Amino acid sequence: MRTYLYRLIVGIVIAIIIILLGIDIDSESINILFTVYGIVFSVIMSFIASFNTREVRNIEIRKKILEVINTMTKWTFIDFITVAILFAATMAISECQNITLIVYTKKININLASLANAITFTFTMILLCLTAYKFIQLRKLHNKIEDELIK
């Protein structure tokens, strides 16, 4: 859960920096990124589903491998659901007006749609990178298992 909070904090900080820098991320970019994330999610879930530990004879090692796979599966689903919720919220907020915040007696106008786009873009990019990392780690594990079985 702590890892998830770190992701949340980093994502929000990066999104605020994007907004303060004046970078405008449009809804079309979010749609494309969500599509890419959906494809990557599908690929990694297919790889996880096809992961075969049947030939591992050592029960304890097999159990550890399955724990790693189950943990990656759980977090991959959580990440995908998070991105899907953010995407849906961003589409719902896309028609919102500006809001004005007063910070230290200074008025700051924030476009809610731009903020939502920035948050969704940031989180999706972070989770896309983490998913790619998970895929690489799973591939290394798969290769290590194959190498050990060959010995």
Side-chain angles (χ1 to χ4, degrees):
M1 192 63 172
R2 193 168 59 196
T3 302
Y4 206 73
L5 285 174
Y6 289 144
R7 292 178 189 177
L8 181 68
I9 291 168
V10 169
I12 290 173
V13 167
I14 293 171
I16 290 171
I17 290 170
I18 288 172
I19 291 293
L20 292 176
L21 291 174
I23 299 170
D24 188 30
I25 300 167
D26 60 349
S27 295
E28 188 173 322
S29 298
I30 301 298
N31 284 333
I32 292 168
L33 192 58
F34 184 69
T35 302
V36 169
Y37 189 80
I39 293 168
V40 170
F41 172 77
S42 176
V43 168
I44 195 167
M45 290 310 292
S46 295
F47 186 65
I48 290 171
S50 68
F51 211 89
N52 186 2
T53 59
R54 188 176 4 179
E55 295 179 24
V56 178
R57 301 288 181 227
N58 187 319
I59 301 291
E60 298 213 7
I61 292 174
R62 184 171 190 262
K63 191 175 182 180
K64 287 180 183 178
I65 292 169
L66 290 174
E67 284 176 11
V68 169
I69 292 170
N70 288 336
T71 300
M72 284 194 175
T73 302
K74 178 183 87 174
W75 281 106
T76 302
F77 268 113
I78 290 170
D79 292 346
F80 183 75
I81 290 168
T82 301
V83 168
I85 290 169
L86 284 171
F87 178 76
T90 298
M91 293 302 113
I93 294 174
S94 65
E95 300 300 320
C96 288
Q97 302 294 321
N98 293 343
I99 60 169
T100 302
L101 297 176
I102 300 175
V103 180
Y104 298 114
T105 68
K106 183 179 180 184
K107 288 185 179 182
I108 300 173
N109 289 324
I110 298 176
N111 183 318
L112 281 181
S114 294
L115 181 61
N117 284 345
I119 290 171
T120 301
F121 178 82
T122 304
F123 271 97
T124 305
M125 288 302 295
I126 290 170
L127 296 178
L128 189 60
C129 292
L130 289 172
T131 303
Y133 177 76
K134 285 183 231 175
F135 181 80
I136 291 167
Q137 294 303 314
L138 276 174
R139 189 69 196 145
K140 286 180 182 178
L141 177 62
H142 186 267
N143 290 342
K144 187 175 179 181
I145 291 169
E146 284 183 347
D147 290 345
E148 290 298 320
L149 290 173
I150 291 172
K151 289 182 181 180

